[in-house]
């Protein structure tokens, strides 16, 4: 059999090094990701690759039994098992089942009204990074027994460290156990877990099914990204996947009533106890029988599903042994299961719990060895029965397809169907976008694309089902929870229609979504009963999770979470002159509309790239200086800074500070972007969200630069008002900035007023995000402020090019940063507010009499020229090096540039005072002052 990592290994030079079992457990695929282009694809997880349910469930049971042996029965009974959404929710369940005595909880990305949050944390490498913990019993995580953390893959250790750090602050305990199917840490990461355990004063053990690492050649990220770009066009939305009959307008779906036990949770989102498992076990045979009846119903093409009595017992001599479905993907006849190996799953942690399993030399990606497959070895002991796995029974091939986080209920229904004699495979849909390549040496052969159908908190987006189309399935049993049984699921482009285009029989099984105060589930298309109106449940306290790229912004999802609401579909732009007239006349606030996005000329873009080339090292030095200052003054034992940038000028700086902390110290600092509006204050709902998820004392506000200090004062006043109104204390209104020419803050990278290229452009250097919007008809009292994602400007986007150019200079400025920080920490950095004094003087000297129309500094002057109606530009004599783009913009808009002496800034932009549309000529250019 061909290893399903061969295609990637041959093209990128990637090698899988370690236990002999690894090639059978893991394949390779590619994805668009700024940090890691390759994706390890598990063959026993039940997410991307359809697999026998007994194998998937058995792999988790085995790990759970090893945890119980490690802890002993007494400690196991005091333990709590925590799994990670979305990929490890069923794995965590199975580990808890193997442990036998402990309750289970998995993280979730779905806020649930009325359920208090017991915590949250960030996952650094995921496309959707924020996790919520929503136990029904608030005391579930508050005990001092061992906490068992379960994930499918343990690589850098960042996710586990983030989790333990967040939970240990609230619920300290003495012991943690980390469980993973594979331990894939690099040599550089092996010691981090032990060091962290020593830091918090707790024992941290590690148990894995196999261990090794991925050897990556130099330049693999760029090569991987190029491969993705080359091949992904074949799988663009709407381009289809494996050939099928085409989605029908009304797919023929059989809905089966499972008779799910009343009050039984659908999974571990709010907790799942051993008693819950016992109830589920007793109900599984009846539910499997109901699904079997649905499968026997007359099917298209005369397909017949025999009754259990018609089938020979599994493993009986003469039973046909067709190749498994995972070996029949796409058009190729070859299988995609891994090379066969003779190996017992395990790692060095079998003998030395808690120690890192050393990677041993093993077959390279292109080598194959013979023997029973590792997945068969993992699945050989299910329910305590050891032995060689039975060959699949005769009869039609059935796929049980779960839904994102809902993995355990479909998995157990799959094992029950197996026990009933069906030939079953199991996998689940996912949020994760992965490249599909129809090659037997590649782990993801086909991809179905469909819209989200559970009204997700982070907004609509694409979802995926891998290795389903073209896999030779005769029937699919789609298992969703009632929250996801929506019109979008049944739409012509929905998941059901996509499945019906490729598989003859589609059965829908809906599990009631469990919440502590759940009301009876009614199918989405049922006729509602007329009842007396009641008050809708209060949802104001359940703020949505942060928006993240690529659904919102061109930044990678781990770079920043936007605490904004998406107003991309709302027409908010107005001509610059109309906005200025409305703002100065008092008819509108500047945050109630948006300027038309400036489209830079070729000449202006050349200036941007030239400025970036010459100033990248200077910016990198300022980034390093401000980040190291923050870490020196704000980091404390058991805590780490939480970066909160002021959207949008502060956001590129926040991303760069996060990158510096990661590159220099291995720290994954959470980073969010929030809205602050002059005269209206900071978004109070964003502060409420931050206070619910982080210690306010850890929050560090970040901005790009200071002008006269108006936002600095605005933030201080807003924090004071928020704390008085909410009773929440701890937020520090001090802003950390890249440049502080106005001497308005204590924490800065430099006080020079120099060109920061990110100030040269608007959304195209800020993740394609607009200025923030605050308008009463769009933003309610319980909403985040708004913003727009300009997807249509992707061709002109230089956001990531800017970040990468600056980050590439981090190493060369390290020594200078160390010297700068040492000097700054010993210096008196008390703000002098000299910038504010200069603005007041200029306002009077030029007869403006309004400091809000005086915009000091290169960044603010650029904004005047791009967004407002400029009157004139004051340029400091001799500051030409940083003002080329300002002079070009002024020339294009017909704005005079006046050379002045004794200016504390490189330049100052003056907005036209008492503006009316008569203040511009017929060509719309500014009128020269007489």
């Amino acid at each position: 059999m061909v290893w399903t990592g061969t295609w990637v290994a041959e093209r990128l030079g990637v090698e899988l090094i370690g236990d002999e079992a690894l090639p059978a457990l893991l394949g390779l695929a590619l994805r668009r990701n700024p940090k890691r282009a390759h994706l390890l694809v598990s063959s026993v997880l039940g997410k991307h690759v359809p697999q026998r349910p007994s194998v998937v469930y058995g792999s988790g049971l085995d790990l759970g039994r090893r945890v119980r042996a490690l802890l002993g029965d007494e400690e196991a009974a005091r333990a709590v098992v925590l799994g990670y959404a979305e990929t490890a929710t069923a794995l965590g369940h199975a580990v808890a089942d193997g442990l036998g005595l402990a309750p289970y909880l998995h993280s979730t990305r779905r806020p649930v009204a009325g359920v208090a949050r017991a915590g949250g944390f960030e996952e650094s490498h995921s496309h959707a990074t924020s996790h919520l913990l929503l136990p029904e019993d608030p005391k579930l995580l508050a005990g001092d027994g061992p906490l068992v953390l379960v994930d499918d893959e343990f690589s850098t250790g960042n996710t586990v460290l983030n989790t333990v750090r967040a939970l240990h602050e609230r619920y300290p305990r003495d012991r943690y156990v980390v469980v993973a199917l594979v331990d894939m840490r690099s040599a550089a990461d092996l010691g981090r877990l032990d060091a962290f355990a020593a830091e918090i004063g707790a024992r941290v053990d590690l148990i894995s099914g196999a261990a090794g690492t991925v050897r990556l050649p130099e330049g693999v990220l760029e090569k991987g990204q190029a491969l993705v770009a080359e091949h992904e066009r074949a799988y663009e939305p709407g381009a289809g996947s494996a050939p099928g009959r085409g989605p029908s307008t009304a797919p023929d779906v059989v809905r089966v009533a499972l008779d799910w036990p009343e009050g039984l949770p659908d999974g571990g989102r709010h907790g799942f106890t051993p008693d819950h498992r016992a109830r589920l076990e007793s109900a599984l045979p009846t539910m499997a029988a109901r699904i079997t009846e649905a499968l026997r119903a007359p099917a298209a093409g005369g397909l017949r599903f025999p009754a259990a009595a018609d089938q020979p017992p599994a493993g009986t001599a003469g039973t046909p042994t067709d190749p498994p479905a995972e070996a029949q993907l796409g058009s190729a006849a070859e299988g995609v299961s891994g090379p066969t190996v003779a190996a017992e799953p395990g790692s060095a942690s079998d003998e030395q719990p808690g120690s890192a399993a050393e990677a041993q030399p093993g077959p390279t990606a292109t080598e194959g060895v013979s023997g029973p497959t590792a997945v068969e070895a993992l699945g050989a002991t299910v329910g305590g029965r050891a032995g060689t796995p039975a060959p699949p029974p005769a009869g039609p091939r059935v796929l049980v397809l779960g839904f994102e986080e809902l993995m355990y209920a479909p998995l157990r229904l799959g094992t029950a169907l197996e026990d009933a004699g069906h030939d079953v495979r199991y996998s689940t849909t996912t949020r994760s976008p992965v490249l599909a390549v129809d090659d037997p040496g590649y782990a993801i052969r086909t991809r179905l694309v469909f819209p989200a159908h559970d009204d997700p908190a982070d907004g609509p987006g694409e979802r995926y089902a891998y290795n389903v189309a073209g896999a030779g399935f005769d029937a699919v049993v789609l298992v969703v929870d009632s929250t996801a049984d929506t019109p979008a699921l049944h739409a012509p482009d929905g998941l059901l229609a996509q499945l019906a285009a490729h598989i003859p029989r589609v059965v829908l099984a809906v599990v009631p979504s469990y919440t502590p105060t759940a009301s009876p589930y009614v199918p989405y298309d049922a006729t509602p009963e007329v009842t007396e109106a009641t008050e809708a449940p209060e949802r104001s306290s359940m703020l949505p999770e942060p928006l993240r790229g690529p659904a919102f912004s061109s930044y990678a999802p781990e770079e920043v979470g936007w605490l904004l609401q998406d107003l991309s579909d709302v027409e908010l732009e107005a001509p610059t002159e109309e906005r200025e007239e409305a703002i100065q006349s008092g008819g509108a606030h500047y945050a109630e509309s948006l300027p038309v996005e400036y489209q830079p000329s070729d000449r202006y873009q050349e200036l941007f790239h030239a400025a970036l080339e010459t100033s990248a090292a200077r910016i990198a030095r300022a980034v390093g200086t401000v980040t190291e200052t923050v870490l020196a003054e704000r980091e404390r034992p058991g805590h780490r800074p939480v970066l909160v940038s002021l959207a949008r000028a502060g956001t590129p700086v926040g991303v760069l500070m996060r990158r510096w902390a990661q590159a220099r110290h291995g720290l994954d600092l959470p980073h969010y972007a929030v809205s602050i509006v002059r005269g209206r204050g900071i978004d109070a709902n964003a502060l409420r969200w931050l206070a619910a998820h982080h210690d306010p004392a850890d929050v560090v506000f970040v901005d790009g630069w200071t002008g006269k200090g108006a936002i600095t004062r605005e933030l201080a006043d807003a924090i004071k008002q928020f704390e008085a109104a909410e009773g929440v204390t701890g937020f520090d209104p001090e802003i950390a900035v890249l440049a502080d020419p106005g001497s308005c803050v204590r924490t800065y990278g430099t006080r020079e007023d120099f060109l920061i290229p990110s100030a040269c452009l608007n959304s195209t250097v800020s993740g394609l995000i607009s200025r923030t919007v605050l308008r009463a008809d769009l933003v309610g009292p319980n909403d985040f402020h708004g913003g727009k994602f300009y997807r249509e400007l992707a061709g002109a986007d230089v956001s990531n090019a800017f970040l990468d150019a600056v980050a590439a200079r981090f190493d060369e400025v390290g020594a200078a940063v160390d010297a700068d920080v040492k000097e700054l920490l010993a210096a008196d950095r008390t703000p002098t507010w000299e910038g504010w004094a200069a603005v007041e003087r200029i306002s009077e000297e030029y007869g403006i009499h309004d400091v809000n129309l005086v915009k000091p500094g290169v960044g603010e002057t650029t904004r005047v020229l791009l967004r407002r109606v400029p009157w004139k530009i004051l340029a400091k004599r001799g500051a030409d090096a940083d003002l080329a783009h300002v002079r070009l913009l002024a020339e294009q808009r017909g704005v005079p540039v006046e050379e002045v002496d004794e200016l504390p800034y490189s330049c100052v932009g003056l907005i036209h005072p008492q503006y009316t549309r008569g203040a511009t000529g017929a060509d719309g250019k500014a009128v020269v002052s007489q």
Side-chain angles (χ1 to χ4, degrees), residues 318-332:
T319 301
T321 55
D322 294 333
E326 62 268 24
Q328 306 218 358
L329 298 171
S331 59

Side-chain angles (χ1 to χ4, degrees), residues 154-158 161 184-194 356:
F154 189 61
S155 51
T156 64
N158 289 334
L161 293 182
M184 299 300 291
R185 290 174 295 170
S186 66
D189 290 319
L190 286 177
R192 293 183 64 197
L193 203 59
D194 292 337

Side-chain angles (χ1 to χ4, degrees), residues 201-295:
R203 175 176 173 178
V204 183
D205 297 305
L206 172 64
I207 289 179
S208 64
T213 192
V214 179
R215 181 178 295 166
L216 302 174
E218 186 175 353
V220 67
L221 179 59
E222 293 76 13
K223 291 179 181 178
Q225 291 172 336
L227 266 179
V228 171
E230 177 185 349
H231 289 273
E232 69 181 353
R233 286 187 294 273
Y235 279 87
E236 290 177 352
S241 53
R245 296 184 298 276
S248 61
T249 56
D252 182 17
V253 176
V254 176
R255 183 188 288 269
V256 58
L258 284 176
D259 196 19
W260 185 265
E262 185 177 357
L264 179 67
D266 55 284
R269 181 177 286 114
H270 305 299
F272 200 88
T273 67
D275 288 341
H276 289 145
R277 185 176 73 251
R279 287 188 63 199
L280 176 62
E281 294 280 359
S282 65
L284 281 173
T286 300
M287 291 191 286
R290 286 176 173 267
I291 294 174
T292 298
E293 288 301 318
L295 290 172

Side-chain angles (χ1 to χ4, degrees), residues 393-448:
R397 185 172 294 114
V398 179
L399 172 68
V400 175
L401 184 64
F403 154 64
E404 298 186 26
E405 294 178 10
L406 187 75
M407 296 184 69
Y408 182 66
L411 173 61
R412 298 312 315 279
L413 290 170
T415 60
L417 288 170
E418 266 192 304
D419 290 342
H422 291 283
D423 182 7
V424 184
R425 299 297 182 274
Y426 159 79
S427 64
T428 52
T429 65
T430 178
R431 288 169 160 253
S432 178
V434 185
L435 177 69
V437 177
D438 188 13
D439 187 284
Y442 187 79
I444 303 295
R445 300 285 296 276
T446 63
R447 179 176 77 179
L448 295 181

